[in-house]
Amino acid sequence: MNYSKNLAAKWLVVFLSLGLGACGAPNRFLLDLPAAGSITAGQPEYNRIGLQMVSLPEYANSEKIASLLAGAVIVQDENNRWAESPADAVARHLAAGISRRLSAVVLVEPFPRGFNPGLQVEVRFDRFIRHVPRGNAELGGQFVLSSGDGRTVRHIERFSIVNPLPTDDYAGYISGLDDGLSEIAAAVSRAALTLGETP
């Protein structure tokens, strides 16, 4: 009888330990690829585009998701994190969005050998934050379109996007980011259509 009680007690400790471990594990959020959208009107003069790795503010370049609180206080959440490098996730999202709009091959650096893009795109963020008091996803910065060899700047455009979140949790923030990045991909695509390919 005592043996059965001791065995039951041991298993209870194991189950409690597993439960506590699961509760303590952080949530990890994936920025998924954008849904298929319509092709931007017009026909680009190139079919290969190189996207440089995006630049994020230091507070946003952590695996811990950053939020802006009242009083201009930024916190990074230990319990809510990115499932991968945020810069990698953002670059992949933008590349997919531009590719689908222009029906072009868009690769993120480092480019494979033999890939000679007709246009290079650089996107630099100076704001990338979940604004808690306002309930917004806020994205700000600029993108630069350069010649295929990257030596000649051909277009510079700033962007400032403020998207109300559908819900006030982290899932709502990811949704707001998805919409904002889609807007940036659309702006890049429209600008690219005004440029011709540089040999």
Side-chain angles (χ1 to χ4, degrees):
M1 185 71 174
N2 288 338
Y3 174 78
S4 298
K5 287 183 177 179
N6 289 338
L7 185 61
K10 287 180 181 179
W11 276 112
L12 180 60
V13 170
V14 170
F15 284 128
L16 287 175
S17 299
L18 290 173
L20 290 173
C23 291
N27 299 313
R28 293 192 178 272
F29 291 89
L30 181 67
L31 185 60
D32 207 355
L33 293 180
S38 59
I39 297 174
T40 300
Q43 180 62 43
E45 296 185 20
Y46 38 77
N47 55 18
R48 292 185 174 189
I49 298 173
L51 176 63
Q52 298 180 25
M53 180 52 65
V54 301
S55 172
L56 297 176
E58 187 172 351
Y59 63 78
N61 215 22
S62 167
E63 67 169 1
K64 303 170 188 175
I65 297 179
S67 299
L68 179 63
L69 308 182
V73 175
I74 290 179
V75 297
Q76 294 174 316
D77 198 325
E78 291 280 354
N79 296 316
N80 292 280
R81 306 186 180 198
W82 294 108
E84 60 183 320
S85 159
D88 288 342
V90 170
R92 190 180 66 251
H93 192 290
L94 290 173
I98 297 167
S99 175
R100 290 174 181 177
R101 285 173 172 81
L102 297 179
S103 293
V105 175
V106 183
L107 298 184
V108 181
E109 69 173 355
F111 309 132
R113 182 178 298 178
F115 179 75
N116 299 308
L119 189 72
Q120 288 205 40
V121 179
E122 178 184 8
V123 183
R124 301 182 65 86
F125 291 87
D126 52 38
R127 193 169 184 85
F128 192 96
I129 196 74
R130 171 178 175 251
H131 197 304
V132 176
R134 297 176 184 171
N136 294 327
E138 300 185 359
L139 303 173
Q142 67 179 15
F143 64 83
V144 179
L145 305 185
S146 302
S147 56
D149 59 12
R151 296 178 180 177
T152 304
V153 173
R154 310 190 63 201
H155 181 86
I156 301 176
E157 185 173 328
R158 287 201 59 82
F159 58 85
S160 180
I161 298 170
V162 177
N163 281 337
L165 304 184
T167 57
D168 60 3
D169 56 7
Y170 284 93
Y173 175 51
I174 301 303
S175 177
L177 282 182
D178 177 78
D179 292 342
L181 292 173
S182 293
E183 290 182 50
I184 297 170
V188 170
S189 301
R190 288 192 298 269
L193 286 171
T194 68
L195 305 176
E197 184 174 13
T198 297

